[in-house]
Amino acid sequence: MSCSGPLLATTITPIAPLDDPNRLIRFFESSRSFAVTTDIRACLLAHPNAELRSIKSEASAWVDVYVAYWKATGEILAVNNGEMGCWSRVYESWKGVMNALIRGYSNSGFEAWTIPCLYVTARYLRTFAIRADKEQNVGNGVSFGVDVQDDMAGDHGKNENLEDAARIINRIFTLCISDRAPLEISRKWGLYYTTNLLFKTYFKLNSIGLSKNIIRALQASRIDMPPMESFPKSHIVTFKYYVGVILFLEEDYVQAEEYLTDAWNMCHRGAHRNQELILTYLIPCHLLTTHTLPAADLLAPYPRLQRIFGDLGQSVRRGDLAGFDEALANGEDEFVRRRIYLTLERGRDIALRNLLRKVYLVGGFEEPKHDATPLRRTRVPVAEFGAALRLGSKTTDHLLENDEVECLLANMIYKVRGPASCANIA
């Protein structure tokens, strides 16, 4: 018998395939609640394939899975048809599918090739939990087609169902990482997919600190795991992206840039949405580590990034402090949601540095002595810096005192060259 995990997983998906849109309806109408267990058991145990009939203990566990799936299908159809269904019941019924699968792996020896079934059920468990929480918070139903942002923290309301889903997905993670079977038939091959799903869930719950426990568990078990390069590239890219974002939020920008750059280089060139997510954090990270901004052609394929970073980048390059403040204020909501506001705010120092550098360049050269090569002047009056700061900030109502200008200059010298150089400002 040919064993295909992805093919098996298509039999328990809550969405009908495009080429067979009525499959869920036919499956649900093929039996009734009082007979569904008998019907599914008869279908599985009377299968013409002798190999499937020979594993009756495992088949019995699969009966439980498909009975739970049948019940969940009824709730999904009720919601989609606008009947008396609700997403809370969909979530509870789908949780039954998830728990039946976990019991199958824990007690009935489901083989590792069936792990894609865990992927499908866990992914939709999280989706249904988000919809159920939204329904409970808003007070009325939402369509199944409404987009659910992957890892953006909710603005308000409780997330009881999503928190419950996180605990269940964590059980799957434990199920995979604790498998002691040989690597060829180990559930450890599902670790990075499950880890990524946990990362998404914790980010949505705004409980990013819990992700560190998962990272530590992976590091402790690395010796017993397959090498990272052996996992599907999609799993690795997502993992590196989330670890990079976690390091970014911890202000470890050097390590964050390394992980995010790896994710960018490995990301499929056709996955524009994923590339955009990576660049959302890689751009501000690169701004702080190298004081450079991306070229216009890099942002050209990503209109959203052009919108949120375009004016900000131009202001930094020009040393336009007022423009920087305005761009930061205009994009504040987006920056806060993406957790990059505080990092981008530090870019004002780079804009200020560029403004002060322009003062130095505009100052020209000192008078050469005895036909020597002209040298740029090494002493710039504080008043010139003050005038530039007023122009860059577009403030005419407040005249900067020399003490204020000297304080700004000392801070910039400290940040660029260190405390020893501040003594030379006088």
Side-chain angles (χ1 to χ4, degrees):
M1 180 176 64
S2 176
C3 299
S4 172
L7 184 61
L8 178 64
T10 62
T11 65
I12 55 172
T13 178
I15 297 179
L18 295 177
D19 58 350
D20 189 7
N22 295 320
R23 192 177 76 176
L24 293 182
I25 298 175
R26 288 201 312 272
F27 174 68
F28 183 69
E29 293 179 348
S30 66
S31 186
R32 294 293 181 266
S33 58
F34 62 86
V36 62
T37 302
T38 303
D39 291 344
I40 292 178
R41 178 175 287 110
C43 180
L44 288 179
L45 300 185
H47 196 278
N49 191 303
E51 187 173 350
L52 183 60
R53 294 198 309 268
S54 67
I55 49 176
K56 291 189 176 181
S57 61
E58 185 177 342
S60 180
W62 281 110
V63 169
D64 295 338
V65 172
Y66 283 104
V67 169
Y69 174 64
W70 182 87
K71 295 177 181 177
T73 300
E75 297 293 346
I76 293 169
L77 291 174
V79 170
N80 287 345
N81 294 336
E83 299 174 4
M84 296 299 294
C86 70
W87 288 108
S88 295
R89 288 205 294 271
V90 170
Y91 171 72
E92 290 298 327
S93 61
W94 194 256
K95 187 166 68 171
V97 180
M98 189 80 262
N99 287 331
L101 267 174
I102 292 175
R103 287 195 300 272
Y105 286 100
S106 301
N107 305 326
S108 302
F110 285 2
E111 297 182 18
W113 65 269
T114 64
I115 283 179
C117 293
L118 282 177
Y119 298 168
V120 170
T121 50
R123 183 171 76 249
Y124 283 106
L125 181 77
R126 179 180 175 276
T127 300
F128 293 149
I130 294 173
R131 296 179 189 279
D133 286 331
K134 182 175 181 179
E135 182 183 68
Q136 292 172 3
N137 292 328
V138 174
N140 41 27
V142 292
S143 168
F144 190 74
V146 173
D147 178 51
V148 178
Q149 183 65 44
D150 259 354
D151 55 11
M152 299 281 281
D155 293 331
H156 61 276
K158 297 181 179 179
N159 295 293
E160 295 177 357
N161 294 300
L162 189 59
E163 290 172 359
D164 183 51
R167 288 189 288 270
I168 295 174
I169 298 172
N170 203 306
R171 289 173 58 195
I172 301 173
F173 176 82
T174 303
L175 193 70
C176 293
I177 202 169
S178 61
D179 190 13
R180 294 294 178 260
L183 290 182
E184 295 79 9
I185 56 172
S186 174
R187 292 191 296 268
K188 284 188 170 69
W189 291 103
L191 270 174
Y192 281 112
Y193 186 95
T194 309
T195 297
N196 296 335
L197 201 56
L198 276 173
F199 285 162
K200 289 182 180 181
T201 306
Y202 290 149
F203 271 60
K204 187 73 174 179
L205 290 170
N206 206 18
S207 300
I208 302 174
L210 295 176
S211 301
K212 300 176 188 176
N213 299 332
I214 303 300
I215 295 173
R216 282 193 289 267
L218 289 174
Q219 291 173 341
S221 301
R222 184 155 294 173
I223 297 176
D224 302 323
M225 288 173 55
M228 178 177 283
E229 56 271 17
S230 301
F231 285 82
K233 186 176 289 187
S234 59
H235 297 189
I236 301 173
V237 170
T238 306
F239 177 77
K240 285 184 174 290
Y241 162 74
Y242 276 106
V243 174
V245 174
I246 292 167
L247 291 168
F248 176 91
L249 297 176
E250 292 179 340
E251 300 185 1
D252 186 353
Y253 297 114
V254 174
Q255 283 290 314
E257 184 177 22
E258 181 179 334
Y259 275 92
L260 291 169
T261 302
D262 287 346
W264 168 260
N265 291 332
M266 296 177 66
C267 188
H268 191 280
R269 290 306 161 204
H272 290 284
R273 172 60 177 162
N274 293 341
Q275 291 176 328
E276 187 178 89
L277 288 173
I278 295 170
L279 286 176
T280 299
Y281 295 94
L282 185 55
I283 288 173
C285 197
H286 201 64
L287 176 63
L288 291 189
T289 56
T290 66
H291 295 176
T292 58
L293 289 160
D297 57 346
L298 177 64
L299 296 181
Y302 313 104
R304 189 186 69 86
L305 295 183
Q306 285 182 315
R307 176 175 55 83
I308 65 176
F309 289 127
D311 292 342
L312 208 65
Q314 289 298 326
S315 299
V316 170
R317 290 189 179 96
R318 294 195 302 261
D320 182 1
L321 300 181
F324 180 90
D325 293 338
E326 182 180 356
L328 195 67
N330 291 339
E332 181 176 355
D333 291 341
E334 178 78 11
F335 298 148
V336 170
R337 280 199 300 270
R338 284 291 170 189
R339 309 177 182 93
I340 60 176
Y341 180 85
L342 295 177
T343 303
L344 289 175
E345 195 175 34
R346 298 185 181 185
R348 195 177 195 278
D349 287 340
I350 303 173
L352 177 58
R353 183 204 66 177
N354 290 341
L355 176 62
L356 299 179
R357 183 173 181 271
K358 285 186 176 182
V359 175
Y360 167 72
L361 294 177
V362 169
F365 298 85
E366 294 180 347
E367 289 292 331
K369 296 180 180 180
H370 308 296
D371 297 329
T373 303
L375 298 175
R376 287 195 176 277
R377 62 175 182 170
T378 57
R379 297 183 180 183
V380 181
V382 172
E384 293 185 12
F385 287 119
L389 288 169
R390 286 194 297 275
L391 289 173
S393 302
K394 297 181 181 178
T395 57
T396 57
D397 55 340
H398 175 61
L399 184 64
L400 289 174
E401 299 290 340
N402 282 349
D403 289 346
E404 295 179 78
V405 178
E406 289 175 3
C407 182
L408 285 172
L409 292 173
N411 284 332
M412 287 305 300
I413 293 171
Y414 178 86
K415 291 174 181 178
V416 174
R417 302 183 61 182
S421 300
C422 294
N424 298 326
I425 193 171

